Amino acid sequence: FGGKTWYIKVSFTCLKGKYLEELNIQTVTLIPGDGIGPEISTAVMKIFEAAKAPIQWEERNVTAIKGPGGRWMIPPEAKESMNKNKIGLKGPLKTPIAAGHPSMNLLLRKTFDLYANVRPCVSIEGYKTPYTDVDLVTIRENTEGEYSGIEHLIVDGVVQSIKLITEEASRRIAKYAFEYARNNQRTSVTAVHKANIMRMSDGLFLRKCREVAENYKDVKFTEMYLDTVCLNMVQDPSHFDILVMPNLYGDILSDLCAGLIGGLGVTPSGNIGANGVAIFESVHGTAPDIAGKDLANPTALLLSAVMMLRHMGLHGHAKKIETACFDTIRDEKVLTKDLGGNAKCSEFTADICRRVQDMD
Amino acid sequence: IQFLYNIFIFSDTFFPYCPPPAKYGGRHTVALIPGDGIGPELLNHVRELFRFSCVPVDFEVVHVNSSSTSEDDINNAIMAIRRNGVALKGNIETNHTMPPNHKSRNNLLRTSLDLYANVMHCQSLPGVQTRHKNIDIIIIRENTEGEYSSLEHESVSGVVESLKIITRNNSLRIADYAFRLAREKGRRRVTAVHKANIMKLGDGLFLQCCKEVASGYPDIEFDSMIVDNTTMQLVSKPQQFDVMLMPNLYGNVVSNVCAGLVGGPGLVPGANYGRDYAVFETATRNTGKSIANRNIANPTAMLLASCLMLDHLKIHDYANMIRGAILTTMNETRLHTADIGGQGTTSEVVQSIMRIIQSGGPLTTEI
């Protein structure tokens, strides 16, 4: 698997010293996206260049095309590039209403079997919110659960939606959560559920989490009801570390946590798939009203790119870029409009590039 | 005083109202279900306070054993509520390690009595420190169907399906309740919370029913919001919401978020209304096992729930007297319990409330 090869490659080079890591240039598929996508992607590329990160970008477009047999699919060049590089960075994609094809995000998810959505939420110093001590990660099962899309009209006026929970998917997501905890030195994993009401489905999810927890005794495992998590989250978010949960709860909780740190404009996100594929993305919208005007805030995409660097094992570069970004925001001199300032996107980017270069 | 007046206005129900059936000799009988965890001790405080203040309410206590597999206990409780029309209850624990056919007792109670509307009024209390101020949201949550239908099956080994049922009748009913309540309380906007972009048929039906009902109330503004955006807005700008209306599961999430925003589970009372019955409890329905019997639980939520019950029984004077005493006590920081950052005990809070009631003048027994 491509994924495992990197870990071996990087750890080997770490033994030989940092300079070898620099020579090991990796290719990453870049999907700029729509709206403000292209400008924030350019900003990220500039910052990476300034930081001398060993990344080479391969730009691809993922607008859906109709394949043979009439099924919508992503263009074969994009698919091939992703399967080769295994790592992708994606900007916001627009979901056209009457185009006939399903949401692009859904298509990507199905094509690469992106089963885990990971969102680390850390309070950003300098971007004030009422919550200052947030440091948690939400890991959400992304393929089944309430979003399976299976709905029926039973009789006129009665609709049933099916929530699907399978052993395989639950085990997979639980395993990923514990692996993430181990790889990132996190102390505890909390499974979020509603097994008092949805006895069988969430009960199955919980059982699988418990089973996987047996193999990871170094990480503390707790279980908590969804409502208790929500209640405690808005009162004291510092109690939580890693949260693992099925699809719907994950959707709600990950957006809740994003709200705690300042919204979707500053939240990174990563989607992990089978076969070592990982796509990191910004989760905000395409903002068509400010597209092309150099007003966009590249922070979300930048932090997702930092997450990507960490996933690839390039912790040094990741720390450098992240620190530069947080320093710029903390300084409050050059901020884009949504962060409370009135600088342009290019000025914001230039400030971060300058800080990164000063660090060398 | 304005604050108390607002609460008074809220607590009045507006249904075409018949007097509750269990009134005899000027005294009402109310079913009391202690439940588990902090339920029994808090309900004892309620009884103590009522006895002290000479409230004309008698309680018929019905115990429900959460560890027994037979449904006799809960059926007795349901029978008692049918008899009395009104109940005050603590949360009954659901041991989810038991087999799946052992249903949640609380859920069974709600569906058997068809308590279709769960109403929770979240208001920032003046004496309590929170991150957000000036919150005043009424949350109306469909209480009987949706994700809580308890219809699950394992079709193939390792694959479980859980059904979420949305019906037109129940959606219309809850939407109508919400708009009538909004009109009665002088509220200006109702926001429906949904996820119809993903669950197109299910939440789509709910949203459509809300829109239909909204068209009959042109004086009240209606808008809708997707549930994940709602939670994000709630933690950044909760003051933008007025009345919120939603199906069962989202109601669970949103009501807990709002309870957390105004100060925690110990402060907010909740009410479950059906056509013929009403059951009052704490809004977030916590069992509180870890703080049970240690005299540290916050009695405010349960006491305010008992005031809602008194308003439902149309005994407003007593309701307002007790509510006023509770709010005055809330202003004393040194009496705050641990959940709102203080070190007071439950009994200190209750004693303080009783002292204020006694100094207020009406007939009381000895402290």
Side-chain angles (χ1 to χ4, degrees):
Chain A
F1 291 108
K4 289 220 177 106
T5 320
W6 279 319
Y7 290 125
I8 298 170
K9 219 193 268 179
V10 172
S11 52
F12 179 64
T13 55
C14 277
L15 282 175
K16 278 205 171 175
K18 254 194 163 183
Y19 69 96
L20 262 192
E21 195 183 333
E22 308 245 335
L23 292 182
N24 206 349
I25 300 197
Q26 312 197 35
T27 322
V28 167
T29 309
L30 175 68
I31 302 164
D34 310 305
I36 52 172
E39 30 191 315
I40 54 178
S41 308
T42 323
V44 169
M45 286 200 281
K46 257 197 224 132
I47 296 172
F48 269 51
E49 208 183 297
K52 298 205 211 37
I55 303 282
Q56 182 179 291
W57 306 98
E58 208 172 83
E59 269 191 52
R60 289 284 179 271
N61 189 345
V62 292
T63 319
I65 57 171
K66 241 192 173 142
R71 277 180 58 210
W72 290 99
M73 54 182 229
I74 67 171
E77 316 84 55
K79 190 163 170 195
E80 204 184 292
S81 167
M82 260 321 298
N83 282 328
K84 179 169 58 91
N85 298 327
K86 299 291 183 188
I87 301 283
L89 185 66
K90 174 175 96 63
L93 290 176
K94 140 180 99 182
T95 301
I97 304 198
H101 64 71
S103 131
M104 283 314 309
N105 291 315
L106 185 62
L107 214 49
L108 276 172
R109 203 174 302 144
K110 288 235 152 80
T111 314
F112 299 109
D113 195 16
L114 301 173
Y115 65 89
N117 179 293
V118 183
R119 242 187 240 190
C121 293
V122 181
S123 283
I124 299 181
E125 237 182 286
Y127 188 39
K128 283 221 97 7
T129 60
Y131 301 89
T132 50
D133 48 359
V134 184
D135 184 7
L136 51 88
V137 180
T138 55
I139 299 182
R140 157 192 175 190
E141 207 291 325
N142 219 0
T143 57
E144 55 173 26
E146 297 82 349
Y147 293 2
S148 49
I150 313 171
E151 293 185 293
H152 317 288
L153 184 69
I154 315 241
V155 287
D156 191 27
V158 178
V159 173
Q160 127 192 331
S161 286
I162 295 191
K163 162 178 165 163
L164 199 66
I165 300 275
T166 56
E167 215 175 273
E168 189 47 51
S170 307
R171 194 178 325 118
R172 194 164 60 161
I173 192 72
K175 187 148 189 294
Y176 180 76
F178 282 97
E179 282 290 328
Y180 186 91
R182 230 179 226 173
N183 294 338
N184 291 278
Q185 289 86 42
R186 311 289 298 210
T187 44
S188 72
V189 171
T190 307
V192 179
H193 65 97
K194 269 224 75 76
N196 52 346
I197 303 287
M198 286 180 258
R199 309 296 307 281
M200 284 175 81
S201 35
D202 282 353
L204 175 62
F205 179 79
L206 212 52
R207 267 202 314 277
K208 290 298 143 205
C209 287
R210 282 185 198 141
E211 276 174 29
V212 174
E214 292 296 314
N215 300 334
Y216 292 84
K217 292 284 192 192
D218 49 331
V219 179
K220 182 165 150 220
F221 174 69
T222 45
E223 327 170 336
M224 222 188 228
Y225 288 137
L226 174 65
D227 39 7
T228 315
V229 171
C230 288
L231 195 56
N232 294 344
M233 183 76 77
V234 291
Q235 295 184 278
D236 192 3
S238 60
H239 284 157
F240 297 102
D241 195 0
I242 296 187
L243 299 166
V244 64
M245 54 211 132
N247 217 333
L248 176 69
Y249 314 150
D251 193 7
I252 301 178
L253 272 182
S254 57
D255 278 3
L256 179 66
C257 299
L260 294 178
I261 62 170
L264 296 179
V266 293
T267 311
S269 169
N271 296 296
I272 312 295
N275 303 322
V277 172
I279 302 186
F280 298 85
E281 60 176 355
S282 58
V283 282
H284 52 73
T286 51
D289 47 337
I290 56 170
K293 296 185 188 160
D294 200 20
L295 293 172
N297 179 357
T299 307
L301 194 62
L302 185 63
L303 290 177
S304 305
V306 166
M307 216 177 132
M308 176 187 80
L309 286 173
R310 289 214 166 95
H311 180 91
M312 291 158 73
L314 299 166
H315 295 281
H317 290 95
K319 189 98 192 101
K320 206 161 50 169
I321 298 175
E322 191 185 51
T323 318
C325 181
F326 285 165
D327 282 346
T328 308
I329 298 180
R330 192 186 312 126
D331 235 7
E332 293 184 29
K333 290 208 193 76
V334 195
L335 290 180
T336 49
K337 190 144 172 279
D338 61 314
L339 291 174
N342 50 15
K344 291 196 165 303
C345 175
S346 40
E347 290 168 16
F348 184 72
T349 314
D351 198 59
I352 301 182
C353 290
R354 185 182 55 80
R355 281 178 203 270
V356 165
Q357 278 158 346
D358 285 345
M359 274 190 221
D360 279 333
Chain B
I1 295 199
Q2 184 62 31
F3 186 72
L4 290 180
Y5 181 69
N6 289 340
I7 295 193
F8 168 79
I9 291 291
F10 161 69
S11 324
D12 211 335
T13 59
F14 57 90
F15 260 109
Y17 189 60
C18 319
K23 185 170 179 176
Y24 185 73
R27 297 184 67 82
H28 299 264
T29 311
V30 166
L32 187 86
I33 302 165
D36 302 305
I38 52 175
E41 89 185 71
L42 293 183
L43 289 170
N44 276 339
H45 284 301
V46 170
R47 279 196 284 182
E48 193 188 322
L49 187 63
F50 276 22
R51 207 176 301 131
F52 172 79
S53 321
C54 300
V55 176
V57 169
D58 295 313
F59 289 105
E60 181 188 340
V61 182
V62 188
H63 290 280
V64 176
N65 186 353
S66 53
S67 43
S68 108
T69 44
S70 103
E71 294 196 354
D72 288 342
D73 274 356
I74 192 68
N75 285 334
N76 282 341
I78 294 172
M79 191 84 76
I81 302 176
R82 283 193 214 273
R83 224 181 299 131
N84 298 315
V86 179
L88 189 59
K89 85 182 249 297
N91 199 40
I92 305 166
E93 190 188 345
T94 307
N95 188 349
H96 57 84
T97 53
M98 292 184 87
N101 57 356
H102 177 91
K103 298 192 160 59
S104 155
R105 296 309 184 229
N106 304 303
N107 203 18
L108 217 48
L109 203 138
R110 290 192 289 267
T111 47
S112 311
L113 297 169
D114 201 23
L115 301 169
Y116 64 89
N118 179 299
V119 181
M120 176 176 155
H121 188 183
C122 279
Q123 258 180 317
S124 296
L125 292 182
V128 180
Q129 278 291 0
T130 52
R131 288 185 175 93
H132 305 269
K133 315 261 180 261
N134 299 322
I135 300 176
D136 190 356
I137 308 174
I138 297 183
I139 298 172
I140 298 164
R141 161 188 176 187
E142 210 291 327
N143 217 4
T144 52
E145 54 172 25
E147 296 81 350
Y148 289 32
S149 56
S150 301
L151 294 165
E152 297 180 299
H153 49 265
E154 190 162 4
S155 29
V156 177
S157 165
V159 176
V160 176
E161 288 184 345
S162 170
L163 303 183
K164 161 180 166 165
I165 312 281
I166 303 269
T167 57
R168 192 175 167 72
N169 281 345
N170 288 348
S171 305
L172 286 174
R173 191 167 64 162
I174 192 69
D176 194 51
Y177 185 94
F179 278 92
R180 278 196 290 155
L181 184 68
R183 185 175 266 174
E184 196 80 11
K185 305 305 168 204
R187 297 287 185 147
R188 280 190 313 240
R189 197 171 82 243
V190 172
T191 307
V193 176
H194 65 95
K195 190 88 191 164
N197 52 342
I198 306 281
M199 288 186 257
K200 300 191 171 72
L201 284 187
D203 285 351
L205 177 60
F206 181 79
L207 201 56
Q208 192 191 352
C209 293
C210 294
K211 286 195 182 124
E212 270 176 43
V213 173
S215 58
Y217 292 82
D219 50 326
I220 298 177
E221 207 185 307
F222 172 71
D223 60 359
S224 61
M225 203 184 260
I226 301 186
V227 62
D228 39 12
N229 189 18
T230 308
T231 48
M232 227 185 314
Q233 297 293 327
L234 274 171
V235 291
S236 41
K237 242 179 0 127
Q239 296 82 5
Q240 63 181 288
F241 294 105
D242 195 359
V243 176
M244 297 170 83
L245 165 65
M246 57 205 93
N248 218 331
L249 185 69
Y250 312 144
N252 189 331
V253 172
V254 171
S255 54
N256 277 274
V257 170
C258 289
L261 292 175
V262 298
L267 296 177
V268 194
N272 303 289
Y273 296 107
R275 197 191 60 175
D276 305 313
Y277 312 108
V279 174
F280 300 89
E281 53 179 354
T282 63
T284 48
R285 302 171 178 165
N286 302 94
T287 325
K289 262 190 314 207
S290 56
I291 53 173
N293 299 320
R294 285 164 58 189
N295 203 17
I296 53 174
N298 194 339
T300 310
M302 195 59 91
L303 291 171
L304 285 174
S306 63
C307 293
L308 289 180
M309 179 192 75
L310 292 175
D311 278 317
H312 184 83
L313 296 172
K314 304 271 193 225
I315 331 178
H316 300 298
D317 311 341
Y318 287 100
N320 291 329
M321 177 179 79
I322 297 177
R323 200 176 282 128
I326 297 173
L327 292 171
T328 315
T329 309
M330 257 312 104
N331 286 333
E332 285 273 345
T333 326
R334 114 195 122 68
L335 287 173
H336 283 182
T337 44
D339 59 314
I340 39 179
Q343 290 166 329
T345 61
T346 318
S347 27
E348 275 171 25
V349 177
V350 178
Q351 293 282 328
S352 158
I353 295 171
M354 294 205 283
R355 233 176 293 125
I356 296 172
I357 291 177
Q358 188 173 55
S359 67
L363 177 72
T364 59
T365 60
E366 292 304 305
I367 278 195

